[in-house]
Amino acid sequence: MNKVRVATIWLSGCSGCHMSFLDQDEFLMELAKLVQFVYSPLIDVKEFPENVDITIVEGAVGNEEQLELIEVARKRTKQLIALGDCAVHGNVTSLRNALREGDQAVLKRAYLELADTTPQIPSEVTPLLKKAHPLHEIVEVDHFIPGCPPPASLITYVLTELLAGRKPEMEGKAKFG
Amino acid sequence: MVKEITINPVTRIEGHAKVTIFLDDDGSVKDARFQINFFRGFEKFCEGRPYYEMPSITSRACGICPVSHLIASAKACDALVSVTIPEAAVRLRRLMHMGQIIQSHTLSFFYLSFPDLLFGMDADIEKRNIFGLIESDPEIAKNGIKLRKFGQEIIERLAGKRIHSSDWIVPGGVRWPLTKEKGERIAADLPEAKNITISTLEKFRNMLQRFDEEIEHLGNFPSNYMGLITPDGELEHYDGLLKIIDYQGEVIADSLDPTKYKEFIAEAVEPWSYMKFPYYKPLGYPGGSYRVGPLARLNIAKRCGTPLADEEIKEFRKFGKNGIVESSFLYHYARLIEILFCLERAEEILSEPETYADRVWAKAEVSRSEGIGVAEAPRGTLIHHYKVDENGLITWVNLIIATGHNNVAFNRAVTEVAKKYVNAKKLTEGMLNRVEAVIRAYDPCLSCASHSFGSRGIDFELYDADGRLIDRNSR
Ligand code: SF4
């Protein structure tokens, strides 16, 4: 049997959603039989591959590299899942959006005001986007799993449904926070 | 034309980073940089929030060590409301922190680094990860899963939720006590966790004989070390005094009050990374840099303070000069010893009746304008510093994150490893994996470090002195 090709991506999140994924504990061993992880921070593939069946995304889109990555991932994926509040609506990552000069304001504070030696805004790094965006503002999303992080049991439920070729029914099962 | 190799993203670490290796005309390595490419900005966007929201917001800096943030944050808030929290609350916060150290260290060891140790640095990349481990050695994989689960369940049984259990740790203590019944359930699972740890240590010690080269060359360099210890000089993760030693074990500073950190720790910025570079002020930058985390803590402590861990630390010290262990590779060993220590301490805490006392929350109003909370997170010293106005609204925040303290060390370690292994005209997978492996040994938490994440995979290219592409490799 051909294994289902699954990718997981960390954008601007805290990794808590990935931790909740790992909190599926022993179910990971079942999962390893059914799916092949083709791209993930947990494995050593550096480039997002072609022909991915399911991509699970943690975090909001916060800088230019993330923007590129999510667009590539969308093109190469059949079903894209926004995992967790940051991916679904921005959550803590988007708290900076409320500030006037959001990206500049956070940079100035950290690297000019709170540095003791050589204060400067790092320049040889990927620029931040003006705002942090939830996934659906950038690409089309097939499934949303809210929660900060979503409980492991809910992740198991969604994956089980998708692997069985069914559409996960989220009503009443998920909540924010 | 720049002659450089980029590893982007570094994989099997907690967060995203990239490494850039700079080459000389003859293709040998000149320098290397460990770079963080993203930033979220907690220090700014927390302004204006009520102080009591801070544990819950700042723990979202990191899903791997949220409990350390909860604790540092809650301690800063305890200071803002000027309370000494009830003894049982201290015990319960400690217990929760131990659960998290167990899970975080297990994640680093079993899920991220063990595949390199078992299959070798040059193994097939399809195999070299937790899923490869599940397939070829399900017993070991299952042990890792069980041990991590045990740590997470301590947190869940105390607070009702495994990750971001921020309803429970509050300024002034914790919201509800631990019931005897839940305590007994944790205690019942403890012996298995301990057995797994002891047998893993045994296996690891035996494996070490095969890793002479890695011990010698994966980031083995003299440095200063910093961490919290108890007043008796024992290993400590919740409270304590800061101590800094040099590479020979000579004391640079002792019994420093961590809440006075501003007097002796400063931070530098480099244009090529979002992660700052902290250092010990009197020695300047970068001379005053130091390492933190499990290896540093074991180097600083006189002993662990629990029977089994104290036996094991003696074995560990045999790898050092004057008992100071310098090899970054041995962070793995130190991590296993700390798991054992946490299990032993958790057992103690659970067996003492004081732990189950009803009084766990001292409620009070803001009475100070400034509060600082410090804890030893799995990866090292974590500092939260807040200022508030008369209504308790946050006006200023500074966070110095555990992983950040190791920033200078990361750069030294990747440079050393790159110089040793990446001196060739032909790139191989294993060469670059060794550079990544030394980073994994530190278990950087980049989610925390830049209060952030993110960067994207590209291939790496090797150019000759004339800027001609001589090799290209992607994965
Ligand atoms: S939703 Fe919550 S747990 Fe997930 S990445 Fe965002 S802050 Fe972390």
Side-chain angles (χ1 to χ4, degrees), chain A residues 13-17 58-59 83-86 91-92 147-150, chain B residues 60 163-164:
Chain A
C14 75
S15 80
C17 290
E58 166 190 320
L83 180 70
D85 290 350
C86 289
N91 203 27
V92 284
C148 182
Chain B
R60 262 76 181 185
I163 300 161
H164 300 326

Side-chain angles (χ1 to χ4, degrees), chain A residues 3 9-33 35-37 39-48 58 60-70 72 85-86 91-97 99-100 102-103 105-129 132 147-152 175 177, chain B residues 7-16 18 33 35-45 47 49 56-57 59-64 103 107 111-112 116 125-126 128-131 134-135 138-139 141-142 145-146 148-149 152-153 161-164 262 265-276 279 281 285 395-399 429 433 436 440 445 447 450 452-460 474-475:
Chain A
K3 287 188 178 182
I9 297 181
W10 278 344
L11 300 176
S12 296
C14 75
S15 80
C17 290
H18 266 81
M19 290 305 110
S20 200
F21 180 87
L22 293 183
D23 280 346
Q24 296 180 95
D25 299 333
E26 282 91 355
F27 182 72
L28 293 176
M29 309 200 58
E30 294 308 305
L31 213 52
K33 288 183 202 143
V35 312
Q36 188 196 350
F37 286 90
Y39 182 86
S40 162
L42 294 165
I43 69 170
D44 287 334
V45 173
K46 307 282 182 191
E47 177 122 37
F48 197 90
E58 166 190 320
V61 183
N63 75 6
E64 288 177 8
E65 283 186 341
Q66 295 171 356
L67 189 67
E68 259 175 67
L69 176 59
I70 195 65
V72 170
D85 290 350
C86 289
N91 203 27
V92 284
T93 314
S94 64
L95 284 181
R96 72 172 157 93
N97 295 0
L99 305 170
R100 212 187 315 140
D103 58 328
V106 294
L107 292 169
K108 274 186 206 149
R109 168 54 54 86
Y111 302 103
L112 299 182
E113 293 162 32
L114 291 175
D116 306 274
T117 307
T118 54
Q120 60 189 306
I121 292 180
S123 49
E124 300 162 31
V125 284
T126 309
L128 299 185
L129 298 176
C148 182
K175 65 176 176 66
Chain B
I7 307 176
N8 185 9
V10 177
T11 41
R12 282 187 287 133
I13 59 168
E14 288 139 8
H16 283 202
K18 89 179 189 186
R33 276 175 187 174
Q35 295 170 269
I36 305 291
N37 237 345
F38 190 66
F39 178 66
R40 282 186 293 173
F42 279 76
E43 284 152 336
K44 183 72 188 172
F45 64 58
E47 276 179 20
R49 321 280 316 190
S56 154
I57 298 177
S59 64
R60 262 76 181 185
C62 181
I64 303 153
Q103 86 84 14
L107 172 71
Y111 289 61
L112 303 175
D116 284 337
I125 74 159
E126 300 232 325
R128 221 171 48 200
N129 56 56
I130 179 69
F131 305 106
I134 287 174
E135 214 161 294
E139 250 342 278
K142 203 190 257 166
I145 289 172
K146 273 192 190 151
R148 182 175 172 279
K149 181 177 171 184
Q152 289 290 68
E153 279 183 341
K161 192 178 171 198
R162 285 180 172 197
I163 300 161
H164 300 326
K262 274 275 179 203
I265 291 174
E267 292 181 280
V269 184
E270 297 285 358
W272 41 267
S273 181
Y274 280 122
M275 185 155 74
K276 285 188 266 189
Y279 59 94
K281 256 187 191 171
Y285 174 72
T395 57
W396 183 92
V397 176
N398 191 29
L399 306 175
E429 186 57 59
N433 189 41
E436 295 182 76
R440 276 173 216 132
C445 181
S447 178
S450 46
S452 79
F453 253 35
S455 86
R456 118 162 185 73
I458 54 170
D459 27 21
F460 37 85
S474 67
R475 44 180 162 159

Side-chain angles (χ1 to χ4, degrees), chain B residues 229-243:
Chain B
I229 47 165
T230 68
D232 297 335
E234 292 180 349
L235 189 58
E236 171 65 34
H237 298 97
Y238 176 80
D239 219 348
L241 301 165
L242 275 174
K243 181 174 173 183

